[in-house]
Amino acid sequence: MRLSNYFLPVLKENPSEAKIKSHQLMLRSGMVRQSASGIYSWLPLGLKVLKNIENIVRDEQNKAGAIELLMPTIQSADAWKESGRYDDYGKEMLRIKDRQDRDLLYGPTNEELITQIFRDNIKSYKNLPLLLYHIQWKFRDEIRPRFGVMRCREFLMKDTYSFDVNKQDAENSYKKMFLSYLKTFDRLDLKAIPMRADAGPIGGDLSHEFIILADTGESEVFLDKNLLDINIKKIDYDQNNIKNIMNKYENFYSATDEKHNIDQFNKLVDKKNQLHTRGIEVGHIFYFGDKYSKSLKAAINTKEGKNTYPQMGSYGIGVSRLPAAIIEAKYNNQYMKWPKSITPFKVTIINLGKKGDEVDKKSDDIYHILKNNNFDPLLDDLSDSPSSKFKNHDLIGIPFQIIIGSKMKKEEYEFKELGKNKIILSKNEIINRLKEIYESDQPS
Ligand code: P5A
């Protein structure tokens, strides 16, 4: 993409309404713009990051055996009246009337609707276990939307729903999602710590939040530092791993403030391993048995010819919260460097020449080569001063820069990884270097 053809409205100053780094950076680097309190437009750069995250989330759901569908944002209130949550949900639910005076709502979550779909289409144990998911916008009329896309009113969630014949199978689905979440966050270059949590308005008695440690997080958390050393990379979905994964984590203490027990913490964790800090909730999973299948009368036949209500769970990831959470976790007080798995462009070319000169031609030449090699480069072909170009590129956080000025020999290019010193490489060396970086599974 040529910057002269792109839409990247960067801001020179921090907007006064932005209190935390991710909010400042997302506004300044032209990723999002607020359209109403807690409601955002995603501009091209932000949308690229969001889509990259969404694709990783989707890929890991598919790998775990979940099947994608798409439910609407607007739901009929009927199923919510059946489950009893229409009244319970309170003011956080945006209620709408259509022209026939029917009650509709903008979905804050989808337990009711998915159970209704299940009820209307599945009658037999033979179709279970079943994991269905979608990635769809939600609306919650939060009292205090804040921190940009971190806590907003309209947000993109990945929500999965599991249906099983009995409790044991349901626990297996829960553990499968538990493992899948660890893998998903690992691919986003994040260390997410699962913590026992309250189930809140979703209900049920088993629930874990997945928390990214960050000083600006809204949750207060207590944990054993050993949790930070568990490596999830090599674990695959075999039955044993699914069974053991939760135990592995639950050997170590971790809790949000609602579940924290100071005596247990002191008893189970050496003082030197105790960590009391803050975190951002990027995922939340629930097991709630037959809470919705029973109230919505979604019964199925069992092998023994009886009727039963399937055991259910639901599993959420805050997809549109993640770009902000990643910035909070990765920003190092000088610059943001996007993890290579989700960077909006893989490499940027900073052309310091003038239209039509040798530098300009050299920039164009490498731009085409990188494009043909699928490196999705961003070419800065604007006529800004070099210092303003450098500032903007550090701001948008593309991890690799190729700087092309008049001082270099014809076959030489300056190559810079954000936060490191520039090196001089030839064209082929650049291609090979980028291939190595993007094809290896090491985090950048
Ligand atoms: C699980 C899937 C649920 O809604 N029902 C379907 C269950 N869980 S949850 O914890 O309430 O939300 C799941 C994740 O969505 C993100 N999230 C938000 N992101 C931005 N702004 C908000 N106001 C907001 N509320 C929830 C969180 O990442 C949460 O873990």
Side-chain angles (χ1 to χ4, degrees):
M1 177 59 67
R2 286 169 188 280
L3 204 43
S4 58
N5 295 337
Y6 202 47
F7 176 50
L8 185 71
V10 294
L11 306 176
K12 286 209 164 55
E13 305 292 333
N14 277 334
S16 59
E17 74 270 23
K19 302 288 178 243
I20 61 170
K21 202 68 227 173
S22 56
H23 192 190
Q24 293 168 353
L25 225 116
M26 290 182 80
L27 290 171
R28 282 196 59 202
S29 65
M31 291 177 72
V32 292
R33 287 290 181 267
Q34 182 172 292
S35 77
S37 166
I39 302 179
Y40 286 83
S41 297
W42 289 77
L43 305 191
L45 192 79
L47 185 64
K48 268 188 140 217
V49 173
L50 188 68
K51 289 279 170 202
N52 289 344
I53 293 174
E54 187 183 319
N55 285 337
I56 290 178
V57 170
R58 174 178 290 112
D59 190 47
E60 287 300 326
Q61 285 296 302
N62 295 343
K63 281 188 178 145
I67 304 164
E68 187 170 10
L69 47 67
L70 184 60
M71 291 174 269
T73 52
I74 307 287
Q75 303 180 21
S76 154
D78 294 349
W80 288 76
K81 288 178 182 163
E82 284 180 57
S83 76
R85 280 209 296 183
Y86 191 63
D87 294 327
D88 294 351
Y89 223 94
K91 288 203 173 236
E92 221 169 90
M93 185 192 279
L94 182 66
R95 294 152 207 263
I96 308 163
K97 282 223 187 268
D98 70 9
R99 61 168 77 197
Q100 262 93 34
D101 216 29
R102 279 185 295 240
D103 290 324
L104 300 174
L105 55 100
Y106 193 128
T109 176
N110 284 57
E111 280 77 9
E112 282 78 358
L113 188 49
I114 198 79
T115 308
Q116 204 175 32
I117 293 173
F118 181 92
R119 175 181 72 189
D120 295 344
N121 294 285
I122 291 185
K123 305 283 175 222
S124 162
Y125 73 94
K126 289 183 189 151
N127 296 105
L128 306 191
L130 187 62
L131 280 164
L132 297 171
Y133 77 98
H134 75 162
I135 302 176
Q136 178 62 291
W137 293 91
K138 307 285 186 285
F139 194 93
R140 293 183 186 173
D141 203 352
E142 301 269 351
I143 298 185
R144 252 189 346 138
R146 59 184 188 148
F147 300 158
V149 297
M150 191 81 92
R151 173 162 302 281
C152 43
R153 296 198 297 166
E154 192 189 36
F155 60 97
L156 187 62
M157 190 201 287
K158 184 288 298 169
D159 35 328
T160 307
Y161 302 86
S162 63
F163 297 87
D164 284 280
V165 181
N166 55 42
K167 191 166 179 197
Q168 199 187 347
D169 287 2
E171 275 170 10
N172 205 41
S173 295
Y174 188 93
K175 288 176 186 168
K176 202 187 239 183
M177 278 297 119
F178 190 99
L179 173 57
S180 150
Y181 274 32
L182 293 168
K183 285 174 166 294
T184 304
F185 297 124
D186 183 64
R187 277 181 69 184
L188 300 173
D189 207 9
L190 289 173
K191 233 191 188 25
I193 319 257
M195 303 195 182
R196 285 261 181 182
D198 272 343
I202 306 292
D205 45 23
L206 174 63
S207 165
H208 284 88
E209 285 178 9
F210 288 75
I211 303 270
I212 305 298
L213 302 185
D215 297 339
T216 44
E218 290 188 292
S219 318
E220 192 180 355
V221 297
F222 301 82
L223 62 140
D224 185 329
K225 281 185 194 158
N226 281 307
L227 279 166
L228 301 170
D229 296 332
I230 302 180
N231 184 359
I232 200 73
K233 283 210 165 29
K234 302 257 167 336
I235 303 180
D236 62 22
Y237 287 101
D238 90 25
Q239 202 60 23
N240 262 344
N241 287 335
I242 292 175
K243 282 211 179 88
N244 293 333
I245 189 68
M246 254 170 74
N247 298 347
K248 200 173 168 132
Y249 275 86
E250 295 207 318
N251 280 339
F252 299 109
Y253 186 97
S254 70
T256 58
D257 54 350
E258 300 134 16
K259 289 266 171 187
H260 179 55
N261 177 324
I262 183 88
D263 297 332
Q264 286 286 316
F265 192 44
N266 286 331
K267 196 169 132 199
L268 297 171
V269 190
D270 279 354
K271 273 267 175 284
K272 67 173 179 13
N273 282 330
Q274 289 185 358
L275 189 58
H276 172 196
T277 180
R278 303 194 72 80
I280 301 166
E281 179 201 318
V282 286
H284 199 160
I285 63 178
F286 304 81
Y287 165 68
F288 40 70
D290 61 8
K291 176 174 173 184
Y292 298 94
S293 54
K294 197 170 182 178
S295 56
L296 285 156
K297 302 193 180 61
I300 49 157
N301 298 319
T302 66
K303 210 173 186 172
E304 295 75 32
K306 293 191 181 130
N307 265 352
T308 190
Y309 294 115
Q311 298 286 307
M312 290 176 61
S314 74
Y315 314 86
I317 290 185
V319 178
S320 60
R321 175 178 282 183
L322 273 162
I326 292 169
I327 295 173
E328 292 300 329
K330 300 279 164 199
Y331 182 76
N332 68 0
N333 279 326
Q334 284 177 302
Y335 56 86
M336 170 61 197
K337 182 178 167 195
W338 286 107
K340 64 180 185 180
S341 57
I342 56 160
T343 180
F345 292 95
K346 290 195 164 77
V347 56
T348 100
I349 303 159
I350 307 179
N351 170 3
L352 301 177
K354 295 209 168 61
K355 204 153 187 53
D357 70 5
E358 284 307 310
V359 169
D360 189 42
K361 284 187 195 140
K362 189 173 165 184
S363 306
D364 242 49
D365 174 51
I366 193 143
Y367 170 67
H368 286 295
I369 293 171
L370 290 169
K371 232 173 118 160
N372 292 339
N373 280 276
N374 292 324
F375 284 117
D376 193 18
L378 178 68
L379 169 62
D380 189 343
D381 56 350
L382 302 178
S383 52
D384 298 344
S385 70
S387 71
S388 127
K389 287 193 178 191
F390 291 136
K391 263 196 207 126
N392 284 344
H393 286 272
D394 285 354
L395 178 69
I396 62 177
I398 313 295
F400 304 99
Q401 304 177 341
I402 299 166
I403 302 151
I404 306 188
S406 56
K407 287 194 197 115
M408 285 292 108
K409 291 192 192 129
K410 206 164 175 218
E411 281 313 310
E412 288 179 346
Y413 299 77
E414 284 184 311
F415 182 83
K416 186 179 165 199
E417 176 170 357
L418 269 184
K420 299 198 175 151
N421 289 333
K422 285 184 225 165
I423 51 175
I424 311 279
L425 295 178
S426 72
K427 215 178 339 193
N428 280 342
E429 284 169 334
I430 288 184
I431 309 274
N432 289 337
R433 177 66 65 103
L434 288 172
K435 276 195 180 142
E436 259 169 46
I437 292 165
Y438 281 105
E439 280 163 19
S440 93
D441 59 4
Q442 293 305 310
S444 53

